[in-house]
């Protein structure tokens, strides 16, 4: 398999607060990104608005004024479903507020945020444009074709407390194996290109 890109290997701390099983029905999706066009925010906002799943809320790690220059995105803003938290240098605080990370990128590299979330037992929904999507299976989260609103809606409609808790449990038991696979793949790739 060809790997799209790699990151500098990261050792994740065992001291990072891990997501525990969810008991309330409300599920908080999270989005982190600066370039909201390339990061696919429009597709996430539109999909959330069209989803039949009323238990989902979206927390965005960026300021609301980012939408000012993009009328098509401003029209998708739904105050009752979406909350702009602004940028933060306390990323752990953001991860504590979410249950699922969504990375709907149109174009991306490895997307380190995928591993940051998984290292905290947070499942991930990402597009196939994200390099780390190659390591995501149904147990860790979901992968959908980039720019596919219909497929993203399908995934959002599936997310519930039971499925979320199954994924949290699986990630808790298997993240270290996944992280080791990624580090080994990076090391092998580095040897290959030398």
């Amino acid at each position: 398999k060809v790997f799209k890109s790699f990151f500098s290997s990261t050792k994740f701390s065992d001291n990072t607060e891990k997501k525990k099983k969810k008991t309330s029905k409300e599920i908080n999706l999270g989005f982190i990104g600066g370039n909201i066009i390339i990061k696919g925010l429009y597709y996430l906002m539109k999909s959330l608005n069209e989803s039949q799943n009323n238990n989902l809320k979206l927390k965005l790690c960026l300021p609301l004024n980012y939408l000012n220059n993009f009328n098509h995105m401003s029209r998708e803003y739904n105050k009752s479903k979406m909350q702009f938290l602004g940028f933060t240098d306390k990323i752990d605080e953001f991860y504590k507020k979410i249950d699922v990370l969504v990375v709907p990128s149109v174009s991306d590299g490895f997307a380190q945020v995928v591993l940051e979330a998984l290292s905290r037992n947070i499942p991930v929904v990402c597009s196939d444009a994200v390099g780390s999507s190659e390591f995501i299976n149904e147990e860790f989260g979901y992968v959908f074709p980039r720019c596919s609103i219909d497929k993203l809606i399908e995934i959002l409609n599936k997310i519930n407390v039971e499925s979320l808790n199954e994924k949290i449990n699986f990630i808790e038991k298997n993240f270290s194996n996944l992280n080791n696979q990624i580090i080994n793949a990076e090391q092998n790739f580095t040897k290959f290109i030398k």
Side-chain angles (χ1 to χ4, degrees):
K1 194 165 196 179
V2 176
F3 297 98
K4 297 175 185 164
S5 64
F6 285 97
F7 62 100
S8 297
S9 298
T10 303
K11 301 281 188 207
F12 292 97
S13 169
D14 288 334
N15 298 330
T16 304
E17 188 171 324
K18 310 290 187 206
K19 182 64 63 183
K20 302 294 181 204
K21 289 195 174 189
K22 185 91 174 150
T23 54
S24 68
K25 286 190 176 189
E26 184 174 290
I27 296 172
N28 292 305
L29 306 174
F31 174 89
I32 301 172
N35 185 330
I36 58 178
I37 300 297
I38 290 175
K39 295 295 183 184
L41 179 58
Y42 169 76
Y43 300 100
L44 174 55
M45 293 171 76
K46 183 146 184 78
S47 298
L48 181 59
N49 283 330
E50 293 183 17
S51 169
Q52 299 301 308
N53 191 339
N54 294 321
N55 294 322
L56 302 177
K57 303 287 184 212
L58 176 60
K59 300 203 180 286
L60 299 114
C61 189
L62 52 96
L64 177 59
N65 67 1
Y66 260 48
L67 297 185
N68 291 345
N69 296 324
F70 305 100
N71 289 333
H72 66 292
M73 277 196 249
S74 295
R75 285 190 297 271
E76 294 301 327
Y77 175 58
N78 181 336
K79 194 174 186 176
S80 67
K81 291 184 176 185
M82 302 170 194
Q83 180 183 12
F84 285 80
L85 304 174
F87 287 124
T88 182
D89 58 354
K90 296 178 178 150
I91 201 66
D92 285 328
E93 295 303 314
F94 174 74
Y95 282 116
K96 288 176 189 176
K97 294 175 183 175
I98 68 170
D99 303 304
V100 177
L101 178 71
V102 185
V103 188
S105 300
V106 174
S107 176
D108 214 329
F110 188 83
Q112 181 74 13
V113 295
V114 169
L115 291 184
E116 289 174 359
L118 291 173
S119 74
R120 292 164 172 84
N121 298 341
I122 297 172
V124 175
V125 174
C126 65
S127 76
D128 60 5
V130 176
S132 49
S133 69
E134 295 185 14
F135 297 99
I136 301 300
N137 59 29
E138 287 279 328
E139 285 83 20
F140 288 110
Y142 304 95
V143 177
F144 65 96
R146 75 184 87 198
C147 306
S148 177
I149 291 170
D150 290 341
K151 291 294 181 186
L152 184 51
I153 291 169
E154 200 175 292
I155 290 168
L156 295 178
N157 286 338
K158 284 189 217 180
I159 298 173
N160 59 44
V161 174
E162 294 78 23
S163 67
L164 180 63
N165 284 335
E166 285 174 12
K167 290 182 187 331
I168 290 169
N169 188 45
F170 182 86
I171 295 166
E172 183 175 30
K173 293 176 182 172
N174 294 284
F175 172 73
S176 63
N177 292 335
L178 174 67
N179 193 40
N180 288 335
Q181 285 177 347
I182 294 168
I183 290 169
N184 289 337
E186 180 184 24
Q187 290 169 349
N188 289 334
F189 181 76
T190 303
K191 287 178 194 173
F192 176 74
I193 61 171
K194 284 184 179 180

